[in-house]
């Protein structure tokens, strides 16, 4: 939340450019399967013209501060991809809800889904 007594600096809450960031971790980590899938979906859907980098960034920048600060990098990206695909008419929110219900019914893990 911004302090209303301070003058507007022209920067939104997510704009951290130039701020002290502290130490930057340089160790590499392996990406989880779902993170790799988010990356692949982003590449495929943008390649098909469903959204642009500007569209993705708009959704990221329009997230509320709480959502932006509590979500992981890939959670923010899948939220942005999803919103852009809905706006492009690739699927509707009701179609997404139906598919999510079907996926949830398969089980909580890949193992549970594979055992059916």
């Amino acid at each position: 939340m911004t302090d209303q007594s301070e003058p507007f600096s022209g920067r939104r809450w997510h704009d951290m450019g130039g701020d002290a960031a502290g130490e930057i971790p340089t160790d590499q980590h392996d990406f989880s399967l779902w993170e790799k899938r988010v990356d692949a979906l982003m590449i495929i859907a943008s390649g098909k013209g469903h959204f642009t980098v500007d569209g993705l960034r708009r959704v990221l920048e329009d997230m509320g501060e709480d959502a932006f600060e509590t979500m992981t990098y890939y959670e923010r990206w899948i939220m942005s991809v999803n919103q852009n695909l809905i706006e492009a008419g690739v699927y509707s929110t009701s179609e997404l809800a139906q598919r999510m219900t079907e996926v949830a019914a398969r089980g909580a893990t890949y193992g549970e889904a594979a055992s059916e």
Side-chain angles (χ1 to χ4, degrees), residues 24-32 35-36 74:
I24 299 173
T26 57
D27 56 323
Q28 297 295 319
H29 70 278
D30 191 20
F31 296 98
S32 65
E35 291 170 328
K36 292 176 184 179
Y74 280 100

Side-chain angles (χ1 to χ4, degrees), residues 91-110 112-114 116:
Y91 51 81
S92 68
T93 54
S94 61
E95 290 169 324
L96 177 61
Q98 178 183 348
R99 292 291 296 173
M100 289 176 71
T101 299
E102 292 168 7
V103 169
R106 293 181 199 159
T109 65
Y110 286 121
E112 289 178 20
E116 290 184 6

Side-chain angles (χ1 to χ4, degrees), residues 7-94:
F8 180 65
S9 68
R11 291 171 50 171
R12 293 177 69 190
W13 58 266
H14 67 276
D15 185 359
M16 298 177 215
D19 290 349
E23 197 168 322
I24 299 173
T26 57
D27 56 323
Q28 297 295 319
H29 70 278
D30 191 20
F31 296 98
S32 65
L33 181 59
W34 80 270
E35 291 170 328
K36 292 176 184 179
R37 288 179 174 169
V38 170
D39 194 55
L41 178 61
M42 227 167 37
I43 292 167
I44 292 168
S46 65
K48 291 184 173 270
H50 294 307
F51 51 77
T52 64
V53 171
D54 292 333
L56 290 171
R57 184 174 178 163
R58 176 191 48 83
V59 174
L60 291 168
E61 291 177 356
D62 286 346
M63 286 181 187
E65 185 174 1
D66 290 339
F68 193 86
E69 293 297 328
T70 59
M71 297 171 82
T72 67
Y73 178 85
Y74 280 100
E75 287 171 336
R76 291 191 303 265
W77 277 105
I78 195 59
M79 183 177 172
S80 182
V81 168
N82 182 57
Q83 182 62 38
N84 275 272
L85 291 174
I86 290 169
E87 291 174 5
V90 175
Y91 51 81
S92 68
T93 54
S94 61

